[in-house]
Amino acid sequence: MIEQVKGTQNISGNESLKYLYIQKLFLNRFKNYGYEYLQTPLLESKELFDKSIGESSEIVTKQMYELTDKGGRDLVLRPEGTSSIVRYHAEFNKDMTSKYSYFGSMFRYENPQKNRYREFNQAGVEIVGVIDNYSDFQIINDSLNFIKELIPETKLKINTIGSIADRKKYIKVLYNYFLNNKDQLSKESEEKLENNTLRILDSNNPDDEQVIKKAPKINEFINTDSKNSFTSLLQILGSSNIEFEIDESLVRGLDYYNDLTFEFITSENVVVGGGGRYDNLAEILSLGKFNGVGVAFGVERIMNNISVPDNFTKYYLLGTDINKITKYSKELDKHNISYSKPPRLSKENSQFKEAKNQNVLYLINTNEDTIKNLITNEVEKFSIEVILEHK
RNA sequence: GUGAUCGUAGCUCAGUUCGGUUAGAGCGCCUGGUUGUGGUCCAGGAGGUCGCGGGUUCGAAUCCCGUCGGUCACCCCA
């Protein structure tokens, strides 16, 4: 037996029902909100993510699926969606402000566990171009509406991390602080000191508690424009009755974020989605000067937190005589009626069983020329008019 | 990258401790019959490189080593 690749999934059975339900809701909802669906390649230049996500990030240093193609190109399977959207926007819509949605596979080379896979699906939306607080508001509002329809008790956590320049200054100060107090840091945190200083702040190791408590706060380094913009966004959210919780330790895993960051978190503390503002991403990629804000949901994380949606089939075509059942098939096709049918002409009892297992409402028995309602057990003579009346 | 744990039929699992005929069960599947309150019931049947590779042994699902995969946790993250 050839085993499947580690961390990949076969989405089948009830899981596939959930997947399609989420996908359909996502695509419909954001289409109606005015977001254009955009499908970018799964295969991208390595350079795109080296630059965008940031070379200090683990995603870039350890977690990318890299390959060289036969033409010698350095490629990766995309680890996230935003960078590609920004590349597209620069190429085709540079002077516009556009709203995009995307849905598809992402790849990260990590050890799989619950809510984490090597190939996983993200559903995301972005607003790219000239951005203001209303853009931030609608990304948060629209995606909160979406996720609450699926997981009603989802909470919004929000923070500002200041500009990239602010952050650079802050990291320097923080680095010196932790360096001087190195002896008080846990082993894990000490490892983060050189490359991922900020991450020490969300250590949950009790050994770090005291040092972190006394550490300089990012708040003191955030410029006034950023602070004011954050305050006014919070006011807008407040007056729109959107509940939020400010979480000052909330940082994102990607370096391109600035100012606004937020997360959607379930009552069981699973982060099902996250996003923020990325005003410098286009510049980092040398694609021009435009801004963006966006969010990405983990589809599998949503799947793991919802129940199986209702599922039933309206018609099942039963029969053991190939001439009769094919004649019925064509008759139904002609009237554009969709129906389930057995994969082959197995014994009648098996077909009945299959129909019941598919939660079928009407069973069309071609052996007897009848239509049976499997809920009420009413049987009537088959005619196409009876079925057309069901519509 | 680290650690724990698991891998036997389509599925859930027994058998592994302590090596020994032809590897089992339930469910599911298939066929014939039965059944119209049609998922029942009866009879029969198909289906297994015991994850893979190597080693020990007269003999390995069982012991040893390696490897791949699943699950979970750490790290990190959606």
Side-chain angles (χ1 to χ4, degrees):
Chain A
M1 183 78 102
I2 298 167
E3 279 163 332
Q4 75 187 79
V5 176
K6 185 169 182 166
T8 62
Q9 338 172 51
N10 300 298
I11 299 173
S12 66
N14 284 339
E15 292 307 296
S16 67
L17 293 176
K18 290 182 186 177
Y19 178 89
L20 291 173
Y21 176 70
I22 293 165
Q23 186 183 49
K24 193 173 164 191
L25 183 73
F26 174 82
L27 295 176
N28 281 339
R29 179 54 50 88
F30 285 99
K31 182 175 180 287
N32 291 335
Y33 283 153
Y35 295 77
E36 177 196 348
Y37 177 74
L38 171 62
Q39 192 159 309
T40 61
L42 270 60
L43 211 50
E44 288 280 7
S45 292
K46 181 173 184 292
E47 193 188 0
L48 178 66
F49 302 104
D50 281 348
K51 285 185 172 169
S52 66
I53 297 174
E55 286 183 316
S56 68
S57 151
E58 268 201 10
I59 294 174
V60 162
T61 54
K62 297 181 187 164
Q63 300 185 346
M64 287 211 287
Y65 272 91
E66 303 181 25
L67 61 128
T68 307
D69 75 4
K70 290 180 181 178
R73 284 169 275 254
D74 288 330
L75 305 178
V76 293
L77 294 172
R78 63 179 186 189
E80 62 106 38
T82 304
S83 304
S84 306
I85 301 270
V86 168
R87 180 179 50 68
Y88 172 89
H89 186 81
E91 191 171 354
F92 298 104
N93 282 333
K94 202 165 194 164
D95 297 328
M96 313 282 287
T97 298
S98 310
K99 306 188 351 179
Y100 302 104
S101 70
Y102 64 91
F103 194 108
S105 286
M106 305 296 162
F107 302 83
R108 292 183 196 173
Y109 192 88
E110 303 181 81
N111 267 340
Q113 66 185 65
K114 189 168 193 175
N115 294 317
R116 189 166 69 197
Y117 311 88
R118 288 186 172 184
E119 181 180 4
F120 61 103
N121 289 276
Q122 280 192 342
V125 291
E126 316 278 352
I127 302 179
V128 188
V130 181
I131 301 297
D132 59 18
N133 262 342
Y134 184 58
S135 317
D136 297 340
F137 166 81
Q138 57 179 303
I139 284 285
I140 291 173
N141 179 64
D142 298 352
S143 49
L144 195 59
N145 286 347
F146 163 72
I147 194 63
K148 281 206 164 183
E149 185 159 346
L150 293 161
I151 310 172
E153 70 280 13
T154 307
K155 286 202 169 65
L156 167 66
K157 282 193 174 180
I158 194 165
N159 189 28
T160 180
I161 55 172
S163 70
I164 289 178
D166 294 343
R167 197 152 74 242
K168 271 189 186 149
K169 266 187 255 163
Y170 175 59
I171 290 171
K172 235 179 223 165
V173 174
L174 196 65
Y175 173 80
N176 285 326
Y177 168 77
F178 282 130
L179 192 68
N180 292 333
N181 297 281
K182 206 172 169 181
D183 50 326
Q184 291 177 59
L185 284 173
S186 69
K187 214 176 88 193
E188 300 87 66
S189 291
E190 216 180 301
E191 281 168 20
K192 289 183 208 161
L193 185 57
E194 287 305 322
N195 291 320
N196 221 344
T197 320
L198 270 180
R199 279 277 158 200
I200 298 175
L201 292 176
D202 36 58
S203 159
N204 36 28
N205 190 324
D207 295 351
D208 293 324
E209 211 181 305
Q210 288 307 314
V211 221
I212 290 173
K213 225 177 183 174
K214 289 182 212 148
K217 302 278 177 284
I218 190 162
N219 212 20
E220 299 152 28
F221 294 81
I222 293 174
N223 67 80
T224 32
D225 282 358
S226 291
K227 277 186 181 167
N228 291 341
S229 163
F230 188 58
T231 312
S232 70
L233 178 64
L234 295 184
Q235 271 165 10
I236 294 159
L237 292 175
S239 61
S240 314
N241 291 319
I242 293 175
E243 284 179 34
F244 58 84
E245 185 188 321
I246 296 171
D247 180 353
E248 286 182 1
S249 68
L250 196 138
V251 230
R252 301 234 51 78
L254 314 172
D255 281 359
Y256 56 65
Y257 284 109
N258 63 282
D259 292 327
L260 173 69
T261 61
F262 57 90
E263 270 180 6
F264 298 109
I265 185 162
T266 70
S267 53
E268 275 151 16
N269 285 323
V270 177
V271 177
V272 288
R277 193 76 177 257
Y278 45 90
D279 291 336
N280 300 289
L281 181 51
E283 261 181 281
I284 293 168
L285 293 170
S286 313
L287 291 174
K289 231 173 150 21
F290 54 85
N291 304 341
V293 58
V295 64
F297 288 99
V299 176
E300 288 80 359
R301 290 187 178 186
I302 298 173
M303 284 163 66
N304 289 340
N305 284 281
I306 63 172
S307 49
V308 182
D310 288 339
N311 170 56
F312 76 96
T313 307
K314 196 158 185 185
Y315 298 106
Y316 186 95
L317 193 67
L318 174 147
T320 50
D321 178 321
I322 189 158
N323 292 315
K324 277 193 105 168
I325 196 167
T326 48
K327 201 177 132 206
Y328 269 80
S329 297
K330 292 318 292 176
E331 178 75 2
L332 292 168
D333 291 346
K334 205 170 82 188
H335 290 88
N336 256 324
I337 292 152
S338 49
Y339 54 96
S340 174
K341 46 193 174 292
R344 65 190 187 87
L345 301 181
S346 53
K347 117 180 187 179
E348 195 170 341
N349 197 21
S350 307
Q351 294 187 33
F352 252 101
K353 255 169 109 170
E354 190 182 53
K356 296 271 193 179
N357 286 335
Q358 288 181 14
N359 281 319
V360 168
L361 185 53
Y362 294 104
L363 183 124
I364 302 168
N365 190 330
T366 67
N367 290 348
E368 299 172 355
D369 306 301
T370 56
I371 303 168
K372 179 166 189 173
N373 183 319
L374 292 181
I375 311 280
T376 63
N377 286 319
E378 277 173 73
V379 182
E380 54 190 319
K381 186 119 194 77
F382 175 86
S383 76
I384 199 73
E385 284 74 26
V386 172
I387 287 174
L388 291 174
E389 272 170 34
H390 291 159
K391 284 190 160 177

